[in-house]
Amino acid sequence: MATIKERLNEAVKDALRAKEKLKLSTLRMALSELKRVEIDERVELDDSRCITILDKMVKQRRESLKQFDSAGRDDLAERERAEIEVLQSFLPAALTTSELESLVTEAIAQTSAQSMKDMRVVVENLKPKVLGRADMAEVSKLIKSKLT
């Protein structure tokens, strides 16, 4: 299986051939962000780190989307939606609510968490399992509701 960076590079070539300007610019932006992190931190990114970076980019676009929608800028909002769609195609499939709830319940049981003091341990247990597949803010809310 190809790494995320390899899949991104192939998708850039495909977008160039198909003359899909928006997809091409989104993919190039993603690759440039990955390259920036590699240069800044002097490391070779693995897939889990790439997922983290792409997930962060999706979150940024969702935040922009909310602002554009509230300002009535449908043209910009539509562009953000398209960018989110392109970026999400390189992330693992999102967890359903029931899957997420069962993972949280399992993590709480594994860590023997009793109160909010134990939340950090539960989050550390869950993070590798939900990386790129769930919004950590939602995960935190779910953990809080179960530990309270």
Side-chain angles (χ1 to χ4, degrees):
M1 174 118 176
T3 66
I4 291 176
K5 286 191 329 187
E6 291 169 350
R7 288 178 33 222
L8 278 167
N9 282 317
E10 286 302 313
V12 166
K13 292 174 191 172
D14 293 342
L16 268 169
R17 288 184 200 112
K19 296 183 178 153
E20 298 171 319
K21 289 183 180 180
L22 181 66
K23 185 175 183 179
L24 180 63
S25 69
T26 304
L27 294 169
R28 284 182 170 162
M29 177 182 45
L31 279 170
S32 116
E33 181 62 17
L34 295 176
K35 189 71 169 169
R36 184 194 65 76
V37 171
E38 282 183 333
I39 291 170
D40 287 352
E41 298 177 9
R42 294 185 175 106
V43 294
E44 182 72 26
L45 296 178
D46 60 354
D47 274 357
S48 66
R49 186 68 199 277
C50 289
I51 289 171
T52 303
I53 293 167
L54 292 176
D55 192 41
K56 181 180 177 186
M57 292 176 75
V58 168
K59 285 179 191 172
Q60 290 169 338
R61 268 138 201 83
R62 282 192 183 127
E63 193 59 40
S64 298
L65 180 61
K66 286 179 193 174
Q67 292 176 359
F68 291 145
D69 279 340
S70 67
R73 294 295 310 263
D74 296 332
D75 55 331
L76 295 174
E78 199 53 46
R79 181 177 175 91
E80 294 297 317
R81 280 187 194 92
E83 287 181 0
I84 289 170
E85 191 176 307
V86 170
L87 292 171
Q88 282 183 326
S89 68
F90 292 92
L91 293 173
L95 291 169
T96 64
T97 307
S98 61
E99 289 173 327
L100 188 57
E101 284 181 13
S102 68
L103 282 172
V104 168
T105 305
E106 181 182 308
I108 289 172
Q110 285 176 350
T111 58
S112 304
Q114 299 296 318
S115 66
M116 289 301 293
K117 293 177 186 176
D118 304 321
M119 184 170 170
R120 183 182 56 81
V121 177
V122 176
V123 170
E124 287 174 358
N125 181 291
L126 269 176
K127 204 167 194 174
K129 298 174 188 170
V130 299
L131 184 67
R133 299 178 69 199
D135 183 11
M136 287 308 290
E138 294 298 318
V139 173
S140 292
K141 286 179 190 174
L142 192 54
I143 294 170
K144 286 178 186 175
S145 69
K146 293 197 181 269
L147 288 179
T148 316

